[in-house]
Amino acid sequence: MNTPHVVVVMGVAGTGKTTIGPLLAARLGVPYAEGDDFHPQANIAKMSAGTPLTDEDRWPWLDAIGDWAHGRSGLGGVVSSSALKRSYRDRLRAAAPGVVFVHLTGDRALIEHRMSQRQDHFMPTALLDSQFATLQPLEPDEPGVAVDVTGSPEEITERAAHALEGLAEPMQ
């Protein structure tokens, strides 16, 4: 797929955004940006302590991701962001109207297992319940696709790339 889309790989912690994002970017031939890198240090400290972020904590982070996506409009790119609420995705679309979402979905037990295997990540497994409680899946009017996270990273990436091929051309 040759795409000028900016793709936001979204989902709860542990779904594989940081793994699938770079693979999808390589598959699409576009740059990748790690959403966690846009977090201010205060957000990372809060999550590391097991405290969920508030909307007020997330706005500057989402704005920074939106700025990056806006800068890639018409050029394409892939960025990871939990984008758990519709209001968060609306904020990203306000900054970069052509963004599309790949929502990585999966069984809670599988995701919790994957999180428990991670080394040196600031997001503790204890916050997974708050992530699922906050999650608002993509609505039919939102540009994007849902992709199940069972299987290998390569299989998930191929499912995502194939699903994206079915989307209409991006809005400019």
Side-chain angles (χ1 to χ4, degrees):
M1 176 181 177
N2 183 3
T3 181
H5 284 292
V6 175
V7 178
V8 177
V9 178
M10 63 168 280
V12 299
T15 54
K17 297 180 295 292
T18 298
T19 300
I20 302 306
L23 292 172
L24 184 60
R27 169 78 164 67
L28 300 176
V30 296
Y32 171 72
E34 171 54 52
D36 287 341
D37 293 344
F38 293 92
H39 272 298
Q41 189 56 44
N43 284 8
I44 293 171
K46 238 180 150 171
M47 290 183 285
S48 296
T51 304
L53 298 179
T54 65
D55 286 353
E56 291 71 31
D57 295 326
R58 287 187 179 95
W59 298 138
W61 171 65
L62 289 165
D63 291 342
I65 292 171
D67 288 346
W68 183 89
H70 178 78
R72 297 299 310 164
S73 294
L75 302 171
V78 175
V79 61
S80 59
S81 169
S82 54
L84 298 176
K85 288 184 180 180
R86 170 77 188 240
S87 61
Y88 304 164
R89 298 187 297 272
D90 289 346
R91 194 166 183 118
L92 292 172
R93 276 193 300 275
V99 298
V100 298
F101 297 90
V102 170
H103 180 187
L104 299 179
T105 64
D107 173 79
R108 189 196 185 289
L110 172 65
I111 294 168
E112 183 173 20
H113 172 73
R114 287 182 178 173
M115 283 183 78
S116 71
Q117 302 302 305
R118 298 194 302 192
Q119 302 293 320
D120 300 322
H121 194 277
F122 62 82
M123 176 67 90
T125 305
L127 288 181
L128 188 56
D129 286 336
S130 73
Q131 293 259 302
F132 272 107
T134 302
L135 177 64
Q136 297 171 345
L138 288 174
E139 295 179 24
D141 67 323
E142 292 184 275
V145 297
V147 177
D148 185 78
V149 296
T150 56
S152 71
E154 293 76 19
E155 291 168 331
I156 298 163
T157 300
E158 282 306 307
R159 280 197 300 272
H162 181 72
L164 285 170
E165 289 173 0
L167 293 179
E169 286 303 305
M171 299 177 295
Q172 297 298 323

